[in-house]
Amino acid sequence: MPMALPRKPRLAVVADRGEPGASLAEQALEHVDELYGLARHLCATASDAEDIVQETYARALGGVARLAADSNLRAWLFRILRNCFIDQARRKKIVLEISDDSVGDRPAHEVWDTAALDQLRYLAAADLERAVATLPFELRFIVVLDAQGFNEAEIADIARCAPGTVKSRLFRARARLRAALQGRT
Amino acid sequence: MTDLDPTAEADRLIAAALSDCVRMPAPRRLRDQLVRQHLRTRKPWWSWAAAFALGAATAAVFALVIARDPAPTIALVDEAVGDHLRIVSAQHPLAVEASDMHQVKPWFTGRLDFVPPVSFLGDDEFRLRGGDIAIFLGHKAAAFVYQRRLHTISLFVFADADPRSREETTVRGFHVLSWATAGFGMALVSDIGWDDLRLLEARLRN
């Protein structure tokens, strides 16, 4: 007797271009600012960021990608955007710096006195954005998702990695941000 | 009061600042394009004809208005609304919180490469709340924040060599009033009514 294959999750066609798809498109378009915010932190230019947001919606609503029933629309859109960004980098022959998860960042000697913390309270957005831009792609991706309010399990689902990996990447990303901002502010 | 771990406090402050800057308003042209591409509904032929006629008429009126007086760039208005939203939704306080212009204005020294030409000290109707640095059209700008009843009004001052005519624009319900003075661009943004915004403009210009 042939072995039964595991059943694939039921898929919902996202965009049939008909009336039922419209409300989903409306829901998806509510996330455009968040997606654009992530894209701006990933891409070197605003026009590249706009391109991957366009492509994300084209894949999501054009029937290329499918949303599994009961899955999180917001997380699904972010996952597609990540894929679009990686594809764009490949097309442009940009080598993405990948952080080595097997190597833990050694904690630097840090002193956070009241004055240093006050500097962080009045941190200029441009300084913060410069610091985020120094992170390797995967750390930048995770730290922005964390700031967007995703929990570790959701980030792991979007980034296709284990929750433990998310935890360690977040730890390293925060350490790098602190190091980059101490002395820059 | 408990002693917080300073490193954890640093992480908390960085996270708070990050959460303010990760959400960026998508440019209007991108939003419009996405809506056109994905929210299209089927309409009868006559609605297209009517839309075409209306579009042609609007374009003609728009072209006339542009020819008479150029509108502020979309980028300026979008940026002004985006920066205003960042100020009103920020979880951390303004970089300098004071109702005294003599405290607020000197705070910009060393943080900007120009002195913002703002001398209105605030009054009972428009209380000065403080100031902050904004990134406006890719450059550092001064942001002054005034309060009128429950409404927040942001004034962005940026070095701008382009002579701009005075413009009033409404974007997503926010009123943007912009003008230029002595090599500086000024943009007032708020959800307050036009009359109140014009009143503040008059006080700023005096």
Side-chain angles (χ1 to χ4, degrees):
Chain A
M1 189 177 161
M3 189 187 292
L5 292 170
R7 287 181 67 183
K8 286 186 179 174
R10 197 160 57 86
L11 298 175
V13 178
V14 173
D16 280 336
R17 289 279 184 194
E19 297 305 318
S23 64
L24 194 73
E26 279 170 3
Q27 286 175 47
L29 286 172
E30 283 173 14
H31 301 290
V32 67
D33 288 343
E34 294 176 307
L35 290 166
Y36 181 71
L38 174 62
R40 278 302 280 121
H41 282 95
L42 294 179
C43 298
T45 67
S47 99
D48 282 352
E50 286 182 36
D51 284 350
I52 66 165
V53 173
Q54 283 268 15
E55 201 178 330
T56 299
Y57 279 103
R59 288 189 195 182
L61 302 175
V64 176
R66 281 156 186 259
L67 174 66
D70 306 326
S71 61
N72 180 334
L73 169 69
R74 184 170 172 241
W76 179 67
L77 289 169
F78 275 86
R79 193 183 311 136
I80 296 174
L81 186 132
R82 180 177 182 273
N83 293 338
C84 290
F85 171 70
I86 293 170
D87 290 347
Q88 186 191 63
R90 278 193 196 123
R91 279 197 303 274
K92 290 176 175 266
K93 302 194 188 320
I94 296 169
V95 180
L96 297 174
E97 190 191 346
I98 307 292
S99 67
D100 186 351
D101 291 326
S102 63
V103 180
D105 281 11
R106 291 175 62 188
H109 177 66
E110 296 180 48
V111 179
W112 288 99
D113 56 14
T114 312
L117 289 173
D118 275 348
Q119 293 285 332
L120 284 186
R121 282 192 183 93
Y122 303 132
L123 191 58
D127 288 332
L128 182 59
E129 281 167 12
R130 263 195 297 273
V132 172
T134 63
L135 299 176
F137 151 64
E138 289 289 6
L139 297 191
R140 211 178 334 147
F141 182 72
I142 278 175
V143 94
V144 174
L145 288 186
D146 178 57
Q148 302 256 28
F150 286 105
N151 62 35
E152 285 172 5
E154 287 170 328
I155 297 174
D157 184 38
I158 295 168
R160 300 282 192 215
C161 63
T165 307
V166 172
K167 202 183 266 282
S168 73
R169 285 181 182 172
L170 267 177
F171 178 80
R172 281 185 294 129
R174 286 173 185 148
R176 284 192 180 210
L177 283 178
R178 289 196 307 272
L181 289 167
Q182 208 167 31
R184 174 173 284 181
T185 54
Chain B
M1 188 177 145
T2 56
D3 282 338
L4 288 171
D5 170 12
T7 308
E9 178 65 357
D11 281 344
R12 193 189 65 75
L13 291 170
I14 294 170
L18 250 178
S19 67
D20 289 341
C21 81
V22 289
R23 188 187 275 253
M24 296 183 189
R28 196 194 313 175
R29 65 173 176 278
L30 172 64
R31 192 182 290 273
D32 288 349
Q33 237 166 359
L34 292 170
V35 167
R36 265 200 312 277
Q37 286 169 354
H38 302 293
L39 291 184
R40 209 165 40 194
T41 52
R42 205 167 291 152
K43 292 175 179 171
W45 68 269
W46 51 264
S47 71
W48 292 110
F52 179 77
L54 185 65
T58 309
V61 171
F62 194 62
L64 274 174
V65 171
I66 295 252
R68 283 180 53 205
D69 200 358
T73 59
I74 290 171
L76 184 147
V77 174
D78 272 343
E79 189 98 5
V81 172
D83 282 353
H84 174 70
L85 284 172
R86 255 171 242 137
I87 285 173
V88 295
S89 63
Q91 289 168 357
H92 58 78
L94 293 168
V96 53
E97 295 243 1
S99 57
D100 182 359
M101 184 58 91
H102 298 301
Q103 285 183 38
V104 176
K105 211 166 162 183
W107 180 85
F108 289 106
T109 308
R111 291 178 168 88
L112 293 173
D113 57 2
F114 62 88
V115 179
V118 176
S119 50
F120 176 56
L121 304 172
D123 55 21
D124 288 345
E125 290 183 301
F126 296 96
R127 192 171 56 80
L128 178 66
R129 270 182 46 198
D132 211 331
I133 298 287
I135 303 297
F136 203 83
L137 301 175
H139 299 283
K140 277 190 173 183
F144 293 87
V145 180
Y146 293 91
Q147 192 79 24
R148 166 89 161 153
R149 296 186 296 273
L150 294 177
H151 300 271
T152 300
I153 308 171
S154 303
L155 168 68
F156 299 105
V157 184
F158 48 99
D160 185 17
D162 293 341
R164 294 178 191 278
S165 55
R166 182 184 176 285
E167 291 294 342
E168 294 185 355
T169 317
T170 301
V171 177
R172 286 177 272 155
F174 291 99
H175 297 323
V176 181
L177 202 162
S178 60
W179 72 95
T181 177
F184 292 98
M186 319 280 271
L188 273 174
V189 192
S190 184
D191 57 349
I192 205 167
W194 277 119
D195 289 345
D196 288 325
L197 212 56
R198 290 179 194 128
L199 203 59
L200 177 56
E201 179 205 4
R203 291 181 194 184
L204 287 162
R205 281 179 184 259
N206 280 336

